[in-house]
Amino acid sequence: MSRAGWVALAAALLGFPLVGGEYYINLASQIFIAAIFAASLNLLVGYGGLPSLGHASWLGLAAYISAWMSLKLGLAHWATAPLALLATTLVGCAFGWVSLRATGLGFLMLTLALSQVLWGTAYRWVSVTDGDNGLRGLTRPTPFGISLDDAASFYYFALAITAVAVWLMAVFVASPFGVALRGTRDQARRMSALGHDVWLIRWITFVYAAFWGAVSGLLFVYYNKYIHPASLSITASAEGLLAVIAGGSATLAGPIVGAVIVMILKNYVSGFIERWNMLLGFVFVFIVIFMPEGVVPGVRRLFGRGMRAWRSRR
Amino acid sequence: MAFTRRRFIQAAGLGASALGFPAIVRGQSGPIRVGLMTVKTGPLASGGIDMERALVQYLKERNYTMGGRKVDLFVGDSGGVPAQARTKIQELVERDRIHVMIGPLDTASALAADDYIRQAQLLTLSVAAAEDMTQRKPNPWFTRGTSTSSQSAQPLADYCAKTLKYKRMATIADDIAYGHEMCAGFQRVFEDAGGKIVQKLFSPLTVPDYGTYIAQLKTNVDGIFLGFAGSNGFRFFRQFNEYGLRGKIAVVGGMTAFDEAVLRNMGDEALGIVTSCWYSAEIENAINKRFVANFRVDWGYDPGFYAAATYVEAAVLEATLQALKGDIEDKPAFMKTVRAIKVDTARGPVSFDRYGNVVGSVYIRKVERKDGRLVNRVIHTYPNVSQFWTYKPEEFLKNPVYSRDWPPAKNLES
């Protein structure tokens, strides 16, 4: 994108709370959370070629750990946030070690199974997670003494974190390591022959993705001030995967656009159309038929074709 | 800062009052916006759809007018996911700018939305049964015209101990706050009346098969109490039957276990089962007869717990609005009035305690066949039952909230 484009995007994002109503600001905050979640999943799905159906584990786990520490141990946010991230990332190390014994469908099933273990634990370990009631009575943090309880301040908080997250993920992808990662996706054996440790590259990516999933989980629990086992369910994981595939995997903007589509359909359009699940299905069928590579690459392709046709006519 | 319509109305209202207009003029600005927070997709949908049907019926019967003002209805569907319920409530408040919310349906959603209701000062007429929202942590914007989880179970325990003369009982319920609270209330009253709860089982809300739980059931008890929600009572009882236990152990049920909504899918095996609820489609009063007749014409089945819930809440809302002459904008006045209101509804006369919870009749019902369909015939009425049963509120509130572990079960046999 050109510099003018970036400036316009930044201005639009920064100025949005000045013009948008409270509801739309909150919707945007939720989109940011979903965008970090989808972008982190995209590291695995898009760049690593590792389809995970258990990414909600990281969102849910970080949210539960932070909620549990503040409710049961009475810790403050400055302590719970890094500890929750650390603990979630450590679990990510272990889960990655187990899941990456396989690739492809085997990997998918392992991530699904492990995330179901966490989901089941959240449901059944009632003394810790309060089971189906979920953990409640949480607060939002107050960074630098600023209360995040109103919509606009939380929006800016989420925006700042999203910007940092997307930037760091972009750096990761653009680095030589990111190139190696794509190499393991396209030609794993050749990469191995060239002396790269394919397993290690995948494992580091898995852990890195888990970390950013955990960041989105913290934002999620700050936003909702509540966490329920449903956030760890297969539906939550699948929603993230849908966002990645619909937006366009292996692109930076794709998962973000996908998250926007999913969140708007789920939270906004559902207010007008009762059978919004059906509409969601139609939208995905449409995307798959006309832009099987996802919205972002698809639009780019169609736009490019239109431009070429226009040039050749001149 | 955006100059929204609500801000405009507030400003205009302030201006109007400054000019010395009577208060009633302020109250008449536009229709009353009522939000229904329900569940129309997922496992709880059957009850949630009944909630909408009954509320729409009520509004139609009043020609969409309450307290002299038009009523607009906005419906939110949470899919039974608490975080989604919170988002949808926000949507109802911030986008649809509702004045009052009826719902949510399930306890978990009410708990998830608790702090938002406080923050947004959202007038709430709840269907969800979460005990502490009208007990130890009363929410000042929250009023409940249905019942707490244990409000109907406590009279049933009394009935089991004193009329049915049961001495030893087992309980089984969904492993959610609703199930815990209901069983705890049942246990406390039953044991205070001299009985013993010798077994307590909790099964997950979404358990696919009750076989492992039914196999554990003690058969040397006088009866078993079912504290299930949604369609689980139906599913449990069908398997209970298949295991050949019907007739060997007497079954009594909480307020949703043999609801009219699941009863219509049952057969003769359900005959004679005793349950308790604050409602039955068979209650003999003019309001209820009309409600049931109209509901049957439209949908072809009897209204149950969920349908009656919104129908009763709508009656409470209408009575409050009439008392306030339609002025819903003054929120503290609304809360004061709604909690002082006495109104005849489909469930019988309704009033509120100072915590915002209903005081009303609880009915002991028995499943019978009438006109070819199964109904919950009322066999006994406990009038004016409060959430504290016969305990003193102050002493009741000194105890921890009803849960899996409180009151402690001292008579369990392994």
Side-chain angles (χ1 to χ4, degrees):
Chain A
M1 210 176 345
S2 65
R3 178 166 294 179
W6 282 110
V7 171
L9 181 68
L13 287 173
L14 288 172
F16 179 68
L18 304 177
V19 290
E22 196 182 8
Y23 169 70
Y24 298 95
I25 299 171
N26 278 328
L27 184 63
S29 299
Q30 293 182 67
I31 289 177
F32 288 146
I33 298 167
I36 300 182
F37 181 70
S40 65
L41 177 59
N42 183 37
L43 295 177
L44 285 174
V45 178
Y47 294 100
L50 297 163
S52 163
L53 203 46
H55 208 61
S57 304
W58 317 122
L59 187 151
L61 196 59
Y64 261 109
I65 291 173
S66 126
W68 180 80
M69 284 196 293
S70 76
L71 285 178
K72 308 273 159 115
L73 305 182
L75 294 179
H77 281 294
W78 62 264
T80 61
L83 285 173
L85 290 179
L86 181 70
T88 310
T89 313
L90 286 177
V91 176
C93 293
F95 277 22
W97 182 70
V98 176
S99 308
L100 285 167
R101 302 179 74 82
T103 53
L105 279 181
F107 176 80
L108 185 100
M109 292 313 291
L110 282 170
T111 53
L112 171 62
L114 289 170
S115 80
Q116 288 288 293
V117 169
L118 288 182
W119 174 78
T121 308
Y123 246 114
R124 306 299 298 142
W125 197 8
V126 178
S127 59
V128 169
T129 63
D130 226 353
D132 205 25
N133 300 326
L135 292 173
R136 67 182 177 121
L138 304 164
T139 53
R140 287 180 183 172
T142 49
F144 312 111
I146 304 163
S147 165
L148 295 181
D149 276 327
D150 72 298
S153 53
F154 190 85
Y155 172 93
Y156 286 119
F157 177 70
L159 175 63
I161 302 227
T162 309
V164 172
V166 171
W167 178 63
L168 283 176
M169 282 189 254
V171 168
F172 179 86
V173 168
S175 68
F177 184 88
V179 177
L181 175 65
R182 264 167 285 168
T184 66
R185 175 192 65 191
D186 298 333
Q187 294 288 347
R189 262 190 220 168
R190 197 172 291 172
M191 287 298 285
S192 199
L194 285 171
H196 289 275
D197 188 339
V198 172
W199 187 89
L200 189 66
I201 291 173
R202 286 177 173 158
W203 184 75
I204 290 172
T205 311
F206 190 96
V207 173
Y208 194 68
F211 172 81
W212 287 113
V215 170
S216 75
L218 280 185
L219 281 178
F220 181 86
V221 76
Y222 292 159
Y223 176 80
N224 286 304
K225 300 190 230 174
Y226 178 79
I227 181 74
H228 182 268
S231 302
L232 280 163
S233 68
I234 179 175
T235 326
S237 294
E239 231 170 60
L241 199 56
L242 275 182
V244 171
I245 295 168
S249 58
T251 59
L252 277 173
I256 299 171
V257 172
V260 172
I261 294 173
V262 171
M263 291 308 277
I264 286 185
L265 280 171
K266 185 170 129 185
N267 286 336
Y268 186 74
V269 180
S270 63
F272 300 105
I273 301 164
E274 194 167 316
R275 306 202 185 285
W276 64 274
N277 281 325
M278 214 163 83
L279 184 71
L280 190 69
F282 280 135
V283 168
F284 283 114
V285 169
F286 174 85
I287 290 172
V288 167
I289 290 176
F290 292 99
M291 316 172 187
E293 67 274 59
V295 169
V296 169
V299 167
R300 206 178 281 154
R301 171 172 57 86
L302 295 177
F303 187 71
R305 195 192 287 164
M307 286 294 279
R308 273 196 303 280
W310 183 69
R311 277 204 209 103
S312 62
R313 214 182 311 148
R314 282 195 351 165
Chain B
M1 194 170 288
F3 200 66
T4 62
R5 195 182 307 172
R6 181 167 47 177
R7 228 176 268 288
F8 174 75
I9 290 169
Q10 278 170 356
L14 279 175
S17 61
L19 287 171
F21 283 172
I24 192 154
V25 175
R26 260 188 291 157
Q28 304 296 335
S29 45
I32 293 174
R33 296 161 163 267
V34 177
L36 171 66
M37 189 61 233
T38 184
V39 178
K40 298 205 285 186
T41 45
L44 297 171
S46 69
I49 290 169
D50 276 4
M51 278 168 63
E52 187 182 5
R53 287 176 171 174
L55 183 58
V56 167
Q57 182 187 329
Y58 191 94
L59 293 173
K60 271 191 189 150
E61 286 168 6
R62 302 295 182 284
N63 202 16
Y64 283 89
T65 308
M66 279 187 183
R69 286 172 72 177
K70 291 296 282 181
V71 174
D72 283 349
L73 178 64
F74 299 86
V75 181
D77 168 19
S78 72
V81 181
Q84 187 71 9
R86 209 192 138 94
T87 308
K88 286 289 163 187
I89 292 171
Q90 273 184 340
E91 176 183 313
L92 289 171
V93 172
E94 291 160 12
R95 193 180 73 192
D96 300 326
R97 298 187 305 281
I98 58 168
H99 293 106
V100 55
M101 171 171 77
I102 295 179
L105 182 157
D106 57 302
T107 302
S109 295
L111 295 174
D114 187 13
D115 67 307
Y116 183 76
I117 291 171
R118 290 167 196 264
Q119 182 195 325
Q121 308 192 338
L122 172 62
L123 308 175
T124 304
L125 296 168
S126 171
V127 173
E131 299 246 328
D132 251 3
M133 291 186 77
T134 56
Q135 290 179 4
R136 288 157 204 83
K137 300 169 189 161
N139 185 322
W141 308 102
F142 188 90
T143 298
R144 171 161 47 207
T146 51
S147 80
T148 60
S149 309
S150 65
Q151 201 167 351
S152 296
Q154 293 175 147
L156 181 66
D158 185 76
Y159 189 82
C160 285
K162 292 185 181 152
T163 309
L164 298 175
K165 308 283 184 210
Y166 290 168
K167 297 277 177 265
R168 293 158 52 80
M169 287 192 75
T171 65
I172 182 165
D174 295 317
D175 202 353
I176 53 177
Y178 174 62
H180 302 156
E181 291 173 357
M182 198 165 20
C183 285
F186 186 88
Q187 178 194 330
R188 184 174 179 201
V189 173
F190 188 67
E191 298 202 330
D192 283 358
K196 282 183 178 164
I197 298 291
V198 297
Q199 187 177 36
K200 279 173 93 171
L201 293 174
F202 291 105
S203 52
L205 184 63
T206 49
V207 69
D209 177 72
Y210 284 102
T212 54
Y213 293 91
I214 292 170
Q216 294 177 52
L217 284 180
K218 287 186 178 299
T219 45
N220 59 345
V221 293
D222 299 324
I224 175 168
F225 170 76
L226 310 187
F228 291 113
S231 55
N232 282 355
F234 168 69
R235 291 173 50 224
F236 175 87
F237 190 66
R238 190 177 54 192
Q239 271 192 293
F240 184 83
N241 228 10
E242 285 165 0
Y243 277 67
L245 290 169
R246 167 94 183 102
K248 295 212 172 78
I249 311 176
V251 170
V252 297
M255 60 186 175
T256 42
F258 290 86
D259 189 52
E260 279 79 354
V262 290
L263 209 53
R264 64 185 141 122
N265 298 321
M266 290 187 174
D268 281 341
E269 71 275 10
L271 287 174
I273 288 177
V274 172
T275 57
S276 74
C277 184
W278 48 265
Y279 179 75
S280 161
E282 293 294 298
I283 299 174
E284 297 279 331
N285 70 46
I287 300 170
N288 189 47
K289 278 188 169 165
R290 187 169 146 212
F291 168 46
V292 175
N294 287 346
F295 196 90
R296 279 194 67 82
V297 167
D298 282 350
W299 307 111
Y301 57 92
D302 284 335
F305 174 94
Y306 295 101
T310 50
Y311 203 80
V312 167
E313 295 290 20
V316 171
L317 176 63
E318 187 183 15
T320 310
L321 288 172
Q322 271 164 1
L324 291 167
K325 300 193 172 56
D327 182 13
I328 199 169
E329 278 77 8
D330 186 349
K331 294 180 182 182
F334 181 91
M335 289 317 295
K336 220 174 135 195
T337 313
V338 73
R339 289 181 175 192
I341 211 97
K342 283 188 169 47
V343 54
D344 278 325
T345 68
R347 63 174 285 187
V350 159
S351 61
F352 293 92
D353 62 20
R354 63 193 192 86
Y355 304 91
N357 194 64
V358 68
V359 177
S361 298
V362 168
Y363 305 94
I364 307 294
R365 308 127 12 128
K366 192 177 213 171
V367 179
E368 289 187 357
R369 194 169 278 285
K370 182 181 144 192
D371 303 336
R373 65 179 196 273
L374 295 177
V375 298
N376 282 314
R377 189 173 70 84
V378 176
I379 55 173
H380 186 77
T381 304
Y382 284 88
N384 294 325
V385 176
S386 103
Q387 59 178 334
F388 305 111
W389 180 227
T390 53
Y391 304 105
K392 284 208 174 67
E394 297 74 31
E395 282 162 30
F396 188 101
L397 293 176
K398 271 183 209 147
N399 293 317
V401 64
Y402 282 154
S403 67
R404 250 178 111 100
D405 311 314
W406 203 96
K410 293 184 216 97
N411 300 309
L412 294 189
E413 298 166 4
S414 55

